[in-house]
Amino acid sequence: MDGHLLQDLSAISVLIPILVFLYKRKEASNTHRLLFMLLILGLSVDLFSRLMIQLENVGLIVKARYFYSPTESAVFGYLLLKYYGTERFRQKFRIILLFFLSSWIVFVPGAYLIFGQANIGIYEMISCIALAFGSTLVLLEMVKRGERVFYSPDFWICFGMFFYNISSFFIFSFLETRIGFHAYSIHSFTSIFTNMIYALGFSLMTRNS
């Protein structure tokens, strides 16, 4: 399949969870609304990037990515902290979140000031590993707590975060190389499937979820 077609399908696929959320918005909790806003932001950044491609302004695309990446990580981290009920885990995971958010300062503005070139790929790799680890623990805790876990919107949203981060971290680690360029089509498949998982989660929202 053509790489550009895959990217277009990936961009369009985010409309599915967005539309499902809008249909079920009266049953949404604050955490669901936060993820919905992140999806809207991601769609906006993607549309902006495509406009900049047409205008041949790659620099602004890179800057948009530098802004969106830590925002996405922060939202995912916040959702995991909200979903996990054990305070001991929250204390430890806050330290992990602080570490990988600090790594953004080191590898983006820090690396740019010292070496003249930022390396967002390393930050995204660290972020994905931390979030995949955190979401794994949250999913295990959810399975222990609930008998009807597969009917929980939070379970599927958390599973979507796990799938996205575990599938993407090795791509981000090579993103600045030729290997990463050719492997990025895998990221498009990952995004499409993740959006389907989010749509399933939103479809299960109830007033008590």
Side-chain angles (χ1 to χ4, degrees):
M1 185 178 291
D2 182 76
H4 292 294
L5 177 59
L6 261 179
Q7 292 179 18
D8 290 338
L9 291 174
S10 175
I12 294 173
S13 69
V14 75
L15 292 174
I16 298 177
I18 287 174
L19 292 174
V20 173
F21 177 90
L22 291 174
Y23 178 74
K24 300 273 292 186
R25 64 187 182 279
K26 292 182 179 180
E27 285 79 29
S29 67
N30 289 334
T31 53
H32 302 146
R33 293 188 181 95
L34 182 60
L35 178 60
F36 170 74
M37 288 188 288
L38 180 66
L39 295 177
I40 292 292
L41 177 61
L43 177 61
S44 301
V45 170
D46 190 68
L47 293 175
F48 173 78
S49 298
R50 291 171 187 278
L51 176 61
M52 291 302 102
I53 290 175
Q54 297 298 320
L55 298 177
E56 299 182 353
N57 193 333
V58 179
L60 285 179
I61 297 177
V62 174
K63 291 178 181 178
R65 182 177 159 208
Y66 289 165
F67 162 75
Y68 177 75
S69 184
T71 302
E72 179 185 65
S73 299
V75 170
F76 283 171
Y78 175 79
L79 291 177
L80 291 177
L81 289 173
K82 293 290 288 185
Y83 288 152
Y84 204 89
T86 304
E87 183 59 31
R88 184 179 179 184
F89 168 82
R90 290 180 180 176
Q91 291 175 352
K92 292 183 177 180
F93 195 59
R94 285 191 187 102
I95 298 175
I96 297 175
L97 292 177
L98 180 62
F99 168 73
F100 78 70
L101 289 176
S102 299
S103 69
W104 178 84
I105 299 175
V106 173
F107 291 110
V108 180
Y112 181 80
L113 290 174
I114 298 174
F115 303 107
Q117 182 177 359
N119 196 329
I120 190 69
I122 295 179
Y123 161 74
E124 289 175 324
M125 180 185 66
I126 295 172
S127 173
C128 284
I129 292 174
L131 292 169
F133 171 75
S135 56
T136 298
L137 294 180
V138 173
L139 287 170
L140 291 174
E141 176 67 14
M142 286 181 174
V143 170
K144 291 179 181 178
R145 288 200 312 243
E147 297 179 357
R148 296 172 56 85
V149 67
F150 296 115
Y151 296 93
S152 167
D154 294 340
F155 173 85
W156 290 108
I157 289 171
C158 187
F159 179 74
M161 288 189 286
F162 164 79
F163 175 80
Y164 177 81
N165 285 286
I166 201 67
S167 302
S168 300
F169 83 89
F170 75 94
I171 298 174
F172 289 143
S173 65
F174 296 104
L175 205 56
E176 309 296 339
T177 69
R178 178 180 291 271
I179 296 175
F181 177 79
H182 291 292
Y184 201 73
S185 59
I186 300 175
H187 185 259
S188 297
F189 279 116
T190 298
S191 297
I192 292 170
F193 193 66
T194 301
N195 287 327
M196 299 303 102
I197 297 173
Y198 289 155
L200 173 60
F202 286 153
S203 71
L204 295 172
M205 291 188 304
T206 64
R207 293 186 182 278
N208 296 323
S209 63

